[in-house]
Amino acid sequence: MATLTKQRIGSVLAKQGILIAFAVFMIAFTIANPKFLSVDNLFSVVRSSAILGVMALGVTFVVISGNLDLSVGSMMSFSTIVVLDLHDKIGPLLAIPAMFAMTLGLGAFIGFLVGYLRLNSLIVTLGMLSAIHGLTLTYSGGQNMDIADKEGTWFSAFGQGTALGVPVPILIFIAVAVFLGAVLSKTAFGRKVYAVGGNGTAATFSGIRRARTVFTCYLISAACVATAGLIQASRSMGSQNTVGQGLELEVLAAVILGGASLLGGSGTIFKAVIGVLILGFIQNGLLLLGLQFYVQFVVTWVIIILAVWLDIAAKRGKLWSPIA
Amino acid sequence: MKLRNSLAASAAVLALAGTASADTMKIGITQNNVGVDSYQTTYEKAFIAAAGANANVEAVVLDAGGDVARQIAQVEDLIQQGVNAIIIWPTNGEAVIPAVRKAHQAGIPVIVTNSNIAEAGFDFVKSFSGPDNITQGSRSAEIMCDKFKAMGIADTAQILQISGQPGYTTAIERAKGFEDRLPEVCPNVTLVETQPGDWNREKSQKVMEAFLVKYDKIDGVYAGDDNMGVGALNAAKAAGREGIIFVGATNFAVGYEAMERGEYWGSIYQSPVDDAEAALQTAIDVLEGKDVPFLNYFDTPKITQDNMGDFTKPVF
């Protein structure tokens, strides 16, 4: 009986190492500055993490399928600029679906290259990172994009509104996470994604159309990016061409932090959410500490590595495990 | 892209000028990264327009796309083409020095525009034409201080600073100008904390959200440019915190609009058109043998809600 309980605790620890790391950081930051745990702060961190978070949900699919998506940062700039520009030209009601269609077009293109032409996803999406950036600049002529009448439009609802006392970006983040979480864990398609990423050859032999699965993962990623761009545009009602620059690495860090393997085949939506929250709260916590910002770059990554180590150590059941 | 004025126009000017030099001035410019932001885009248009309006100038307009190697190659191209003067908007203040030296050794005067190169390269440069960012920072401090005095809180005010990208000369100089000047004009105003907003509205909004949680008393925020200033303003509005005095620099259209709405107090008016025209004029003056100061700043005046009627809304 006693051993059973111990085993249970052990297996809980092993499964939820990243949650434990999360709790440790939250407690440490709260001790350093009690305001860290105020409702206002929690809301503001989750709200601003929602943009990164929605993108991370889509990239989780791509990573589980055994590929990478480094284009999401510049794709987000693209969708933000496009929806802001179209808002004043054709109105928000048409601008939003038009922007989604264009962003999905980019996702389909990447999915085609990686899935059907079987090109290396690192090279393809790294190339698309700068190609889409160029596309955005060409589209906007390098100008900042701003909605002319910021007060007289319902477009601000996605980024600035609240429903039932909760900021809308958080609700969107939760809704997308629940939906994609169900897709990944409860549907046949979700199982195919794991199969393709875990062992592609075996997946083929069991009759899974790999190209189509990978293609769909990039479509999901693009849809998430478009949603993030919508929140971003609605939140600031105006944007530079570089708004998403560098986000691709933060997104990837959050997904990996959530325990998805870069080799594919493993990871969950729930843990990706935890990864996003850890990143968001680290950045916020360091700001509240008032740490000099040159140091913040270093500390952020020290904490991320610490979290990954805690997660791995819990899985292995020991802290010290050198390569044999 | 090249601009050549028609022979007819040159001939007309020559006829009018009579004894003036028969040579047109061929001036080459290599810019930093046109298209990356509205300021640089407007700058290029203004430069082309100014060069086109001057019949004595033939301009060769190039853009390095933010790439140091490409800019160095462009300077070498311009030397080969035998231009009379080279204007450079450095992609990197250190890395372009060898190329600038090469132009200098070839006897071609070099004018640096907008952002200066590192001091090690000063010997190879005829003049720097651009904004004085230290003065901009100190003028922002004066705007902030004057407002606090008018409000009667100059003895108690607490302010925060959101600076530009760490490591950028412009960011460092503006912060220095502000931090040095503030205690001179308003010794009792406290600058509580500085964090970078990386010239990015969204990042600045995030930083401001954290500030709002951390500090219950915020009287003013100084941002290194209006883009970041408006990001901070958005955060304050979302949190329902009123009465904060926002002062920025490089007045953007969004900043100008926020001033019209009475939400944003002031900024520094820096026109990319003035910047481009000043660079071209400096090059022309150097070629005509006029006495040009080494640091040839163009004026960047203060703009606040009180005097904004004197300025047109920025186009970027």
Side-chain angles (χ1 to χ4, degrees):
Chain A
M1 197 63 188
T3 45
L4 196 70
T5 326
K6 201 179 164 191
Q7 265 182 0
R8 255 191 213 153
I9 293 171
S11 91
V12 167
L13 276 178
K15 274 191 184 149
Q16 309 304 348
I18 202 73
L19 270 184
I20 295 160
F22 183 47
V24 169
F25 295 138
M26 294 294 281
I27 292 166
F29 280 130
T30 309
I31 293 169
N33 188 341
K35 281 182 180 167
F36 182 72
L37 220 53
S38 66
V39 176
D40 276 353
N41 192 49
L42 295 182
F43 267 172
S44 104
V45 174
V46 182
R47 189 181 53 209
S48 54
S49 301
I51 295 169
L52 181 83
V54 173
M55 289 161 74
L57 298 175
V59 171
T60 301
F61 276 77
V62 174
V63 169
I64 294 175
S65 79
N67 293 299
L68 286 172
D69 195 347
L70 294 178
S71 69
V72 290
S74 63
M75 204 190 281
M76 196 274 256
S77 306
F78 174 81
S79 45
T80 306
I81 291 289
V82 166
V83 78
L84 287 169
D85 177 58
L86 293 182
H87 177 282
D88 283 6
K89 287 184 178 151
I90 58 176
L93 204 60
L94 290 173
I96 296 170
M99 175 275 275
F100 266 82
M102 285 194 229
T103 312
L104 283 173
L106 292 174
F109 182 60
I110 297 172
F112 174 75
L113 295 180
V114 177
Y116 290 95
L117 297 189
R118 268 206 287 161
L119 304 182
N120 181 297
S121 66
L122 178 72
I123 305 298
V124 168
T125 58
L126 201 57
M128 287 300 280
L129 167 76
S130 69
I132 296 174
H133 181 55
L135 197 64
T136 311
L137 287 171
T138 313
Y139 183 90
S140 68
Q143 301 286 337
N144 286 358
M145 224 36 104
D146 273 281
I147 289 176
D149 180 12
K150 295 185 176 62
E151 311 295 325
T153 170
W154 50 267
F155 186 74
S156 60
F158 304 102
Q160 301 172 30
T162 54
L164 311 166
V166 183
V168 173
I170 299 182
L171 296 175
I172 296 178
F173 183 31
I174 294 173
V176 177
V178 169
F179 174 70
L180 289 182
V183 169
L184 191 59
S185 62
K186 307 270 187 248
T187 67
F189 170 74
R191 285 188 291 280
K192 284 180 193 166
V193 175
Y194 282 107
V196 166
N199 187 337
T201 319
T204 309
F205 283 127
S206 45
I208 294 171
R209 276 180 282 195
R210 280 162 72 185
R212 193 155 132 185
T213 310
V214 168
F215 179 82
T216 313
C217 286
Y218 277 103
L219 274 190
I220 292 173
S221 179
C224 288
V225 169
T227 310
L230 176 64
I231 300 174
Q232 170 63 50
S234 161
R235 186 163 133 93
S236 49
M237 305 294 273
S239 174
Q240 288 147 287
N241 289 284
T242 49
V243 61
Q245 208 169 52
L247 276 187
E248 58 281 343
L249 287 183
E250 283 188 46
V251 165
L252 204 57
V255 173
I256 303 301
L257 201 51
S261 163
L262 271 183
L263 300 174
S266 76
T268 66
I269 288 292
F270 175 68
K271 286 193 174 176
V273 171
I274 299 296
V276 168
L277 292 181
I278 289 184
L279 265 194
F281 279 109
I282 290 174
Q283 285 173 355
N284 171 263
L286 291 180
L287 269 176
L288 287 188
L289 286 182
L291 218 59
Q292 211 217 355
F293 47 80
Y294 300 120
V295 185
Q296 286 185 18
F297 295 117
V298 182
V299 176
T300 305
W301 286 94
V302 169
I303 295 181
I304 288 176
I305 290 169
L306 211 61
V308 171
W309 176 53
L310 271 177
D311 187 37
I312 295 276
K315 270 184 199 146
R316 293 179 182 142
K318 52 184 177 182
L319 296 175
W320 174 253
S321 49
I323 300 168
Chain B
M1 190 189 304
K2 290 182 185 184
L3 288 180
R4 295 177 198 281
N5 27 274
S6 69
L7 277 172
S10 313
V13 169
L14 282 178
L16 284 174
T19 55
S21 158
D23 297 328
T24 55
M25 290 175 269
K26 192 171 178 184
I27 298 173
I29 180 169
T30 159
Q31 300 167 93
N32 172 26
N33 199 352
V34 178
V36 78
D37 59 48
S38 311
Y39 189 92
Q40 299 195 45
T41 311
T42 313
Y43 179 105
E44 182 180 50
K45 282 184 198 147
F47 188 89
I48 292 172
N54 189 329
N56 286 330
V57 172
E58 183 188 336
V60 182
V61 181
L62 303 172
D63 170 34
D67 183 347
V68 174
R70 194 189 301 174
Q71 185 159 55
I72 291 170
Q74 286 180 347
V75 171
E76 283 166 0
D77 285 350
L78 290 171
I79 297 171
Q80 290 303 320
Q81 288 190 32
V83 295
N84 300 112
I86 294 176
I87 303 174
I88 181 169
W89 183 334
T91 46
N92 180 308
E94 291 281 352
V96 299
I97 292 176
V100 169
R101 193 179 69 201
K102 218 168 164 183
H104 173 76
Q105 284 167 346
I108 300 171
V110 178
I111 290 90
V112 180
T113 181
N114 188 280
S115 321
N116 213 341
I117 63 170
E119 231 174 297
F122 281 6
D123 287 347
F124 316 123
V125 170
K126 274 279 181 286
S127 178
F128 165 73
S129 162
D132 179 357
N133 285 306
I134 294 195
T135 302
Q136 289 200 2
S138 58
R139 282 183 177 170
S140 293
E142 290 163 9
I143 293 173
M144 179 86 79
C145 179
D146 288 346
K147 181 64 178 168
F148 285 157
K149 281 179 179 158
M151 293 166 74
I153 56 169
D155 287 330
T156 56
Q158 291 189 2
I159 63 164
L160 299 159
Q161 178 179 216
I162 299 178
S163 54
Q165 194 149 21
Y168 256 58
T169 312
T170 309
I172 296 164
E173 288 181 348
R174 284 193 188 154
K176 182 175 168 24
F178 185 86
E179 288 163 14
D180 288 352
R181 185 66 179 152
L182 187 69
E184 290 171 11
V185 285
C186 266
N188 294 325
V189 171
T190 347
L191 173 60
V192 190
E193 192 177 335
T194 299
Q195 290 288 345
D198 299 353
W199 308 127
N200 183 316
R201 204 186 299 177
E202 173 63 19
K203 171 85 192 285
S204 168
Q205 193 168 343
K206 242 186 221 182
V207 169
M208 187 66 192
E209 280 168 355
F211 280 162
L212 289 164
V213 169
K214 192 169 172 187
Y215 301 107
D216 295 324
K217 177 176 160 59
I218 303 174
D219 299 297
V221 173
Y222 167 58
D225 74 11
D226 275 5
N227 226 344
M228 297 190 294
V230 168
L233 170 67
N234 286 345
K237 273 164 72 182
R241 292 273 281 268
E242 285 176 4
I244 299 175
I245 302 302
F246 290 92
V247 176
T250 315
N251 194 226
F252 282 66
V254 278
Y256 191 91
E257 286 163 6
M259 284 164 69
E260 281 177 328
R261 292 196 301 271
E263 296 169 347
Y264 196 85
W265 175 246
S267 184
I268 303 293
Y269 197 79
Q270 179 183 324
S271 155
V273 177
D274 292 349
D275 200 355
E277 287 172 357
L280 183 65
Q281 194 55 50
T282 305
I284 293 171
D285 287 351
V286 165
L287 287 176
E288 287 178 344
K290 287 186 189 156
D291 209 11
V292 179
F294 180 69
L295 294 173
N296 198 15
Y297 297 125
F298 68 93
D299 192 34
T300 49
K302 299 175 188 175
I303 173 171
T304 65
Q305 284 177 24
D306 286 342
N307 72 345
M308 65 187 295
D310 303 342
F311 299 90
T312 53
K313 183 166 138 183
V315 291
F316 54 95

